[in-house]
Amino acid sequence: MKTLEGSITIQQKLDKAISVLPNPSHVLKSKSATMEIFHKVAKHPDIFPQIGSYKSALCSLQPVIDARNKSLDRFFTDFFKTFPLRDLIRAAASARDYGFAVLEITAYTRFQGHTVPAKIELCPPEYYFFDRNRSLRLSSDQPQGIDVMTQYPHKFILCQNDATLLNPYGVGLLDVAFWIAVGLNGNFEFMMQFAEDDGRDKWLGHYPPGTPQNDINDLLSKLISLRNNGVIAIPTGMDIEAKPMTGRQSSNDLYSKIDEMLRRKIEKLWTGTDLTMQVDGKGGYASSESGLTVREDALEEGKTLVLNALMQLITIICRLNNFPETPMLTLQLPRSLSKSIAETDQIYFQAGLKPTSELLKKRGYAEEDFFLDTTVPTKLEKLDFAADPEEYNALINAFDFYRNRLKKKKNRSENF
């Protein structure tokens, strides 16, 4: 009977090992840890501000509903005005940090006579795993876990960052930044010691041939004492010579350069550029531009995650209330124009071109923000940069006139 029970226990463990798809992270494998270790990385003083600024840039996203049913369009537009959208955006963007994010609807309410989610919270990623069918499961007493999407419909939202068929866990930036954070943590102590040992002067001891090994070891000990204390007493017949180290960097300079290099890698991971750390010299204009906003292509990754989460939320609401259709959704960032874009637009407008509604949408404006008045005449109706012969004569005459006046003024000043 004991053998049978033992066989059942072994079979259960084997079935669990077969059904669970392990996280392919090399950090988790080498450390034999769960994703909880990435929480510590996220709180690193150099990484935490990057995560916070990236999420804050995404929090300004505004949903725009597009439904064939106008009443449904108005319903979702009004709903998102009261829904805690900021919490959902920050939770969905966490998928970029951990590879995937599980959002749980923890409260429901009634809105305009319909059941809608009222609160969404981010779940700890270490509690969840994927099976061989890439289904999300919650760790439990059962070996195979709980299929949350099947067991609890209309309650969970799953966001995955760069997930593939072989890796449903996605790619997490905290996984990539783990060893950089370790380097930042140990950089000061290690690099100060390394720079001190590598940059300090060397001492060379001379001893006559045939000196016993004990006396040689004693001389080495005295050299170490000389290096640390600056004074030493040596017996007759032995000599000490200083070998100064030249061309070495100071320990502070070496530390600052390595620390800046590691922080630039963190900056580039989250924002796609390290120009925000460049304050002078080459690339100063690009540095100022990048310092105002997070790079657009990096924002697009987070924007995709937020869009996916909101579409799942809309689908849940439609299924809970049996709505006739699931409306489409787009996200718009608020108006944020750089100096170069504004100057380019101004050149086109001064040339007589008029802005269209599509251009205003690209610039972050909504359709109701502007009214395009087509009755206003254009200042430059005809763009012809070739001058007529009469215009040439007028320009030449004007040039001669002002040239003669300048000559007369010059002569008067010389006579005076």
Side-chain angles (χ1 to χ4, degrees):
M1 186 66 180
K2 291 183 180 180
T3 305
L4 180 60
E5 290 178 353
S7 301
I8 293 175
T9 303
I10 293 175
Q11 185 63 38
Q12 288 177 345
K13 293 182 178 179
L14 183 61
D15 293 340
K16 181 180 179 180
I18 293 175
S19 61
V20 173
L21 188 64
N23 195 314
S25 169
H26 294 289
V27 173
L28 299 183
K29 290 180 182 179
S30 62
K31 294 294 181 180
S32 299
T34 64
M35 295 190 69
E36 187 177 1
I37 194 174
F38 295 140
H39 297 334
K40 297 181 179 179
V41 182
K43 293 180 181 179
H44 191 278
D46 291 320
I47 296 178
F48 182 80
Q50 295 294 335
I51 297 176
S53 61
Y54 185 87
K55 291 182 178 180
S56 298
L58 290 175
C59 285
S60 57
L61 288 170
Q62 296 296 326
V64 179
I65 303 297
D66 184 14
R68 294 189 299 269
N69 191 324
K70 295 304 179 182
S71 60
L72 198 61
D73 195 320
R74 289 192 298 271
F75 170 80
F76 278 104
T77 301
D78 296 339
F79 166 71
F80 282 120
K81 291 179 180 179
T82 60
F83 181 75
L85 189 61
R86 183 183 180 89
D87 295 339
L88 183 141
I89 291 177
R90 297 184 69 88
S94 297
R96 196 167 179 259
D97 304 327
Y98 294 92
F100 72 97
V102 181
L103 286 61
E104 181 181 359
I105 302 174
T106 57
Y108 295 85
T109 187
R110 299 288 292 179
F111 180 78
Q112 295 183 2
H114 300 282
T115 302
V116 295
K119 186 177 182 181
I120 292 182
E121 297 183 70
L122 179 65
C123 301
E126 58 268 20
Y127 293 168
Y128 296 86
F129 64 92
F130 292 89
D131 59 16
R132 294 290 174 178
N133 296 323
R134 302 185 300 279
S135 298
L136 181 67
R137 292 183 176 271
L138 173 65
S139 300
S140 65
D141 297 335
Q142 304 176 11
Q144 70 277 11
I146 301 174
D147 189 344
V148 294
M149 295 300 183
T150 304
Q151 192 75 17
Y152 304 101
H154 316 315
K155 188 171 178 60
F156 288 93
I157 295 175
L158 173 62
C159 298
Q160 298 163 282
N161 183 52
D162 293 336
T164 61
L165 293 176
L166 299 178
N167 179 23
Y169 290 91
V171 178
L173 296 186
L174 292 174
D175 184 18
V176 181
F178 176 81
W179 293 112
I180 302 178
V182 172
L184 287 168
N185 281 335
N187 181 36
F188 182 79
E189 180 180 358
F190 171 76
M191 291 311 304
M192 289 291 284
Q193 181 178 357
F194 169 79
E196 184 179 1
D197 294 338
D198 186 59
R200 70 175 59 179
D201 294 340
K202 306 300 180 184
W203 293 93
L204 181 63
H206 300 275
Y207 57 87
T211 303
Q213 185 63 41
N214 291 337
D215 293 343
I216 297 175
N217 293 337
D218 182 61
L219 176 61
L220 292 175
S221 299
K222 291 181 181 301
L223 290 174
I224 294 176
S225 176
L226 175 62
R227 184 191 66 177
N228 295 334
N229 302 323
V231 293
I232 188 176
I234 60 174
T236 304
M238 293 186 180
D239 190 15
I240 291 178
E241 178 185 0
K243 292 289 186 181
M245 301 299 295
T246 59
R248 299 288 186 179
Q249 294 178 332
S250 66
S251 56
N252 289 334
D253 186 41
L254 183 62
Y255 163 72
S256 61
K257 287 186 176 181
I258 293 181
D259 184 72
E260 180 184 358
M261 176 192 69
L262 294 176
R263 288 190 293 114
R264 281 181 179 273
K265 291 182 180 295
I266 294 295
E267 177 89 9
K268 199 166 186 178
L269 267 178
W270 263 268
T271 64
T273 178
D274 61 350
L275 289 176
T276 56
M277 296 182 61
Q278 186 169 340
V279 295
D280 55 3
K282 187 177 180 181
Y285 177 75
S287 173
S288 62
E289 289 291 304
S290 300
L292 297 176
T293 56
V294 182
R295 192 170 175 176
E296 291 184 1
D297 53 357
L299 278 181
E300 285 299 322
E301 295 183 6
K303 186 178 178 181
T304 302
L305 294 171
V306 175
L307 182 62
N308 185 13
L310 286 175
M311 282 304 302
Q312 293 183 57
L313 177 65
I314 291 177
T315 303
I316 290 175
I317 295 176
C318 291
R319 290 178 179 177
L320 285 175
N321 299 279
N322 295 320
F323 286 158
E325 67 168 306
T326 302
M328 298 302 296
L329 175 71
T330 56
L331 292 175
Q332 287 185 353
L333 279 171
R335 179 169 51 90
S336 177
L337 298 181
S338 65
K339 184 173 182 291
S340 59
I341 295 178
E343 289 176 348
T344 303
D345 289 346
Q346 185 180 15
I347 293 174
Y348 286 119
F349 298 158
Q350 289 179 348
L353 303 180
K354 298 179 181 179
T356 63
S357 58
E358 294 297 326
L359 176 63
L360 294 179
K361 288 181 181 179
K362 293 178 182 179
R363 296 294 182 259
Y365 296 101
E367 292 184 2
E368 60 271 13
D369 290 343
F370 276 94
F371 161 69
L372 296 179
D373 190 358
T374 57
T375 61
V376 178
T378 305
K379 291 183 178 179
L380 300 178
E381 296 293 343
K382 182 181 179 181
L383 299 179
D384 188 1
F385 296 97
D388 295 331
E390 297 179 357
E391 295 175 348
Y392 278 122
N393 296 331
L395 289 173
I396 293 174
N397 295 334
F399 177 78
D400 293 337
F401 173 76
Y402 286 105
R403 182 185 60 181
N404 296 331
R405 290 191 61 184
L406 287 174
K407 286 183 177 180
K408 292 180 180 180
K409 289 183 178 180
K410 183 178 180 182
N411 294 334
R412 292 176 182 175
S413 60
E414 290 177 353
N415 295 332
F416 179 78

